[in-house]
Amino acid sequence: MSNVIVNRVAEFLKRFPPFSFLGKEELICVAQSVEIQYLEKGEILFRQGEAARPHFFILKEGIIHLVENSQNGEEIREVCDEGDVFGVLALLGKRPYLLTSKVIENSLIYAIPVNVFEKILEENSRVALFFAAGFAAGQVVVRQDLSQGQKARSEFKNASGDHSLLIFSDQSEVNISEKVLRCSPATSIQSAAKQMADGQVSSIVVCDEKGFPLGILTDKDLRSRVIALGISPENPVSTAMTCPVITRKKQDGFSDLYLTMIRHRLHHLVLTEDGTEQSPVCGIISDHDIFLSMGNSPAVLIHGLMNTLEIREMRIIRDRAEQMLQYYLENEVSMEFVASVMTEINDVIIRQALQISKKQLKPEYPEMVNTRFCFLSMGSEGREEQLLRTDMDNAILYEDLPNELRGKATEYFQKLGEGVVEVLLACGFDPCPGKIMASNPEWVKPLSDWKNYFSDWILHPSPEALMKVSIFFDYRAVSGRKALAEELTQHIYGEIGKKQVFLNFLAQNALKNPPPLGFFKDFVVEKSGENRDQFDIKSRAMLPLTDLARLLVLSHQVVGINNTFRRFEKLCELEPANAELFSQAGKAYEILMRMRALEGLQNRNSGRYINPKSLGKLQRQLLKNAFTPISELQEIVNIRFQLDYFRR
């Protein structure tokens, strides 16, 4: 591959985990080994039940469905879009494919050789843990953006250690089976298989006379090493077992045991008294045991959501996600990781809601089935920052159609949006007070109308327009044709380029909220209404930071970064002179997010209003410290955009 192509492949890969966790040399090495494959609509990349190939895949362009053949016929289990990693069973366990990959649109994929990636998987724990959730849940696809792997921050406690890769909750120990099926190496294969069948287990540990493990025979070994090769079942089990056997201590922590299974692609892990193969066997763990014991982990919750279209079940799972959220918040897990997990859960609910709504509308609108559209999340969910089920902001963008189809499209997408919003409401999300939802005809429009909206807001930045900009500029494509959203983004930046003064208006709007502390360095609280004497953490602290981050990123013409954490991280790169301030602003935003979420969970509300008197001394000081970057950023914006002159 020429250097130009290698660099382009590397640039693409580094946008998506787990490749974003790689160093430059590792990334180039992977990019050099990539096989670029073009697939035409209707092709099958791999089929359910086929042996895993020596590659796994990442989708560069197009759409690929992963479908399962069941008693009910063919069911779509996942829709792969740009950046999705799939076919990972070649990497994790080398089992046959569980699903069939169908090419829905002409697609371009990068095939990555397993042998190139295996060393990285073994040495890079961040990469190994990225694949962990999908492995445990038996999933083929590992969704992107589950975690950016940022280190945990400890502003609430002086906690040590990096919890940013924690993916389990309510998990102190895995369910270890102490009744281990054993046999001697001289036992016949047939006899060992009968013991496994009688015990209804999938493995038997081969031990010497001292009870020390020599190897293990599993269902997979019986298939691949005995039946497939025509070996006589009368042969001793030692001829078919996997050896040497990898062992660990029963007392080892859950994460260590699980990571061992991931790194070595084990379906069974043998436990011995001292953790070595030179001591007696005392237990065994299977990947099935781990899956069942993971409780409210992201893998289990997402797996559950992806496998149900029952709204009641979806609500129950989303309720359980809130329990997981509380665990994460109380244990100081990185807020970026927490937000990414909750975003993925919310996104899966939206995708399932779309499936429900589309299925209901298909008989009435068959001509709309293949119409390109994109479901947009906006506001905090668009920024991947919605932890609680606060009010939703969403919309639908669809392709421009011929005149004869416009009426039908208007009806169809209006009903589609209404269906999705109904599901989200049933799952516990609050409606938007301003009715900025996909159930509102004003926000269900073809691409040309959306372009006109943004052009008007940018060219005529009235107070109402600027208010909408603060919500709509943070849109994110959750499902559908993301290329439509990208085209809209390019249009927006083109319009801003024509009218740079728009940024001055946006800057003025970003400074409308004064710093959250009054003259006497106390909290600025509400003066009247039902929230009197309470502090509005959203409007007075979080909103100024999101507005300032958005403004500064827009001023640099940066495309594709909506998240406030990542905006401040990018600004650190773009403006090294202000890197320390931007870094502090990102940390401050994490503190505010955590505090609001904990407040909301405790009081079963949005967490927006906090009673300062209920805060302890440490919390009050921590919150005040989080306000410091706001006034400094506002001063920079005031000078940079010449707002004193602009106001004259």
Side-chain angles (χ1 to χ4, degrees):
M1 225 190 293
S2 72
N3 287 337
V4 174
I5 296 176
V6 168
N7 289 334
R8 285 182 180 173
V9 171
E11 283 292 318
F12 175 81
L13 292 177
K14 76 177 182 181
R15 291 167 50 198
F16 306 100
F19 310 102
S20 55
F21 303 151
L22 304 182
K24 187 175 180 180
E25 290 184 6
E26 288 178 317
L27 193 62
I28 291 296
C29 177
V30 171
Q32 288 174 333
S33 69
V34 160
E35 294 179 18
I36 302 174
Q37 298 182 16
Y38 175 76
L39 304 172
E40 292 189 352
K41 178 180 178 180
E43 281 193 64
I44 301 294
L45 180 59
F46 53 77
R47 294 185 184 277
Q48 183 177 332
E50 282 184 354
R53 299 185 184 185
H55 298 82
F56 64 104
F57 311 98
I58 181 169
L59 184 58
K60 172 66 169 65
E61 295 174 10
I63 295 179
I64 290 178
H65 285 182
L66 299 178
V67 300
E68 181 178 17
N69 293 315
S70 65
Q71 293 179 344
N72 299 324
E74 196 173 79
E75 298 181 25
I76 299 173
R77 291 302 182 199
E78 185 57 75
V79 177
C80 298
D81 208 335
E82 180 191 32
D84 282 342
V85 179
F86 63 106
V88 296
L89 291 184
L91 189 65
L92 301 173
K94 298 180 172 61
R95 291 175 287 180
Y97 290 113
L98 300 180
L99 305 174
T100 296
S101 63
K102 298 183 70 175
V103 181
I104 306 304
E105 283 187 0
N106 293 345
S107 299
L108 197 64
I109 63 169
Y110 292 158
I112 300 166
V114 170
N115 58 6
V116 171
F117 214 73
E118 278 187 324
K119 186 179 180 183
I120 293 171
L121 185 71
E122 188 170 331
E123 296 176 356
N124 191 322
S125 62
R126 300 174 76 189
V127 173
L129 280 167
F130 174 81
F131 284 111
F135 178 68
Q139 295 299 298
V140 177
V141 170
V142 180
R143 298 297 306 179
Q144 67 191 51
D145 296 328
L146 187 63
S147 169
Q148 295 299 316
Q150 195 178 60
K151 286 187 177 180
R153 289 165 177 137
S154 53
E155 280 79 11
F156 280 99
K157 298 178 184 175
N158 291 322
S160 61
D162 180 359
H163 300 280
S164 64
L165 292 170
L166 179 65
I167 59 171
F168 312 108
S169 64
D170 300 327
Q171 181 62 60
S172 56
E173 59 180 27
V174 69
N175 181 30
I176 296 171
S177 174
E178 297 180 352
K179 295 181 180 179
V180 184
L181 203 61
R182 300 174 175 85
C183 70
S184 73
T187 303
S188 71
I189 294 172
Q190 184 171 9
S191 176
K194 187 175 187 305
Q195 289 183 59
M196 290 165 62
D198 291 343
Q200 295 186 327
V201 296
S202 57
S203 66
I204 187 168
V205 180
V206 182
C207 300
D208 63 14
E209 64 278 1
K210 297 179 182 178
F212 296 179
L214 300 172
I216 185 171
L217 184 74
T218 68
D219 283 345
K220 178 186 174 185
D221 295 328
L222 289 171
R223 290 194 306 270
S224 60
R225 296 180 179 176
V226 180
I227 298 172
L229 299 180
I231 301 298
S232 169
E234 298 302 322
N235 284 359
V237 72
S238 58
T239 61
M241 69 184 184
T242 297
C243 63
V245 65
I246 294 172
T247 58
R248 287 292 182 271
K249 283 190 297 186
K250 179 181 177 182
Q251 294 76 18
D252 286 345
F254 175 76
S255 296
D256 182 57
L257 295 174
Y258 187 47
L259 188 54
T260 298
M261 295 180 73
I262 292 298
R263 283 179 170 161
H264 297 282
R265 273 81 75 198
L266 302 176
H267 299 296
H268 301 83
L269 179 61
V270 175
L271 305 177
T272 61
E273 290 181 3
D274 69 1
T276 73
E277 56 188 77
Q278 296 302 310
S279 68
V281 173
C282 63
I284 191 168
I285 307 171
S286 71
D287 53 4
H288 181 67
D289 294 330
I290 285 183
F291 180 53
L292 292 179
S293 67
M294 280 170 65
N296 286 341
S297 79
V300 173
L301 297 175
I302 291 170
H303 181 262
L305 285 170
M306 288 172 57
N307 285 276
T308 184
L309 293 177
E310 293 292 330
I311 298 174
R312 181 177 170 276
E313 287 183 27
M314 291 165 65
R315 170 65 186 254
I316 291 170
I317 294 171
R318 187 56 182 80
D319 289 343
R320 286 172 56 196
E322 219 123 281
Q323 299 170 16
M324 178 190 71
L325 171 63
Q326 183 148 4
Y327 175 89
Y328 281 163
L329 295 173
E330 291 173 351
N331 285 274
E332 300 300 324
V333 177
S334 160
M335 283 306 298
E336 186 172 18
F337 174 78
V338 174
S340 295
V341 167
M342 297 307 295
T343 296
E344 182 64 17
I345 288 169
N346 292 342
D347 285 359
V348 173
I349 291 174
I350 290 171
R351 294 185 194 113
Q352 297 300 87
L354 279 165
Q355 279 198 52
I356 293 169
S357 191
K358 285 164 71 175
K359 188 175 181 180
Q360 292 172 343
L361 294 172
K362 187 176 180 180
E364 188 179 354
Y365 298 94
E367 66 272 60
M368 290 290 111
V369 171
N370 295 318
T371 302
R372 297 190 309 153
F373 80 98
C374 191
F375 190 91
L376 304 175
S377 282
M378 298 175 297
S380 60
E381 175 65 8
R383 294 192 301 273
E384 303 177 62
E385 296 165 9
Q386 188 176 29
L387 304 184
L388 305 175
R389 283 170 282 188
T390 49
D391 52 290
M392 65 180 98
D393 296 302
N394 46 48
I396 290 178
L397 156 67
Y398 57 92
E399 66 179 320
D400 289 297
L401 294 167
N403 289 335
E404 61 269 19
L405 289 176
R406 287 181 185 174
K408 276 285 186 185
T410 300
E411 289 178 22
Y412 173 76
F413 287 109
Q414 177 62 41
K415 290 181 180 179
L416 184 69
E418 289 171 356
V420 173
V421 169
E422 282 180 15
V423 173
L424 294 177
L425 291 172
C427 287
F429 290 87
D430 291 337
C432 173
K435 297 186 177 179
I436 299 176
M437 297 180 290
S439 55
N440 184 343
E442 190 175 1
W443 310 123
V444 180
K445 297 290 182 181
L447 178 59
S448 57
D449 285 8
W450 278 107
K451 287 181 177 180
N452 290 336
Y453 275 159
F454 279 96
S455 294
D456 186 55
W457 295 336
I458 292 167
L459 297 175
H460 306 98
S462 65
E464 183 185 358
L466 291 170
M467 183 274 290
K468 288 176 178 172
V469 160
S470 68
I471 298 173
F472 285 88
F473 260 70
D474 292 340
Y475 66 77
R476 179 174 58 87
V478 173
S479 183
R481 297 302 300 272
K482 296 180 182 179
L484 290 169
E486 289 170 1
E487 185 176 343
L488 179 60
T489 299
Q490 293 300 326
H491 171 79
I492 291 168
Y493 280 93
E495 293 292 87
I496 292 174
K498 295 177 190 175
K499 189 175 181 181
Q500 286 290 318
V501 73
F502 166 74
L503 294 177
N504 296 81
F505 284 100
L506 203 59
Q508 196 172 21
N509 191 62
L511 267 60
K512 67 183 179 184
N513 287 317
L517 295 178
F519 182 78
F520 294 104
K521 301 298 181 184
D522 210 349
F523 295 95
V524 175
V525 296
E526 301 305 295
K527 300 299 183 186
S528 60
E530 61 178 308
N531 299 303
R532 183 178 177 179
D533 295 329
Q534 292 185 313
F535 176 69
D536 185 347
I537 193 171
K538 175 184 175 181
S539 293
R540 296 192 182 277
M542 298 177 72
L543 196 59
L545 286 171
T546 58
D547 286 347
L548 290 162
R550 181 191 306 110
L551 167 69
L552 292 170
V553 163
L554 281 172
S555 72
H556 284 285
Q557 295 276 302
V558 173
V559 179
I561 302 179
N562 284 11
N563 180 267
T564 303
F565 307 136
R566 294 197 279 274
R567 279 173 170 166
F568 280 123
E569 285 179 357
K570 187 64 178 179
L571 288 167
C572 287
E573 296 176 24
L574 297 170
E575 300 183 31
N578 294 315
E580 180 61 28
L581 173 59
F582 293 138
S583 176
Q584 291 301 315
K587 292 176 182 178
Y589 194 70
E590 292 191 28
I591 291 172
L592 297 170
M593 275 188 69
R594 189 185 301 275
M595 186 167 281
R596 179 183 177 182
L598 284 168
E599 182 77 13
L601 290 170
Q602 181 178 338
N603 298 302
R604 297 184 178 277
N605 58 26
S606 69
R608 177 171 178 172
Y609 294 97
I610 295 175
N611 182 0
K613 294 178 182 178
S614 69
L615 301 176
K617 183 177 179 181
L618 180 62
Q619 286 180 307
R620 287 173 65 88
Q621 190 56 51
L622 185 63
L623 195 51
K624 287 182 178 181
N625 290 345
F627 299 157
T628 304
I630 298 175
S631 55
E632 293 184 42
L633 284 169
Q634 287 180 335
E635 185 59 30
I636 286 177
V637 166
N638 190 53
I639 295 169
R640 183 172 299 181
F641 294 92
Q642 302 178 326
L643 295 187
D644 289 336
Y645 174 81
F646 187 73
R647 294 188 189 101
R648 292 176 188 173

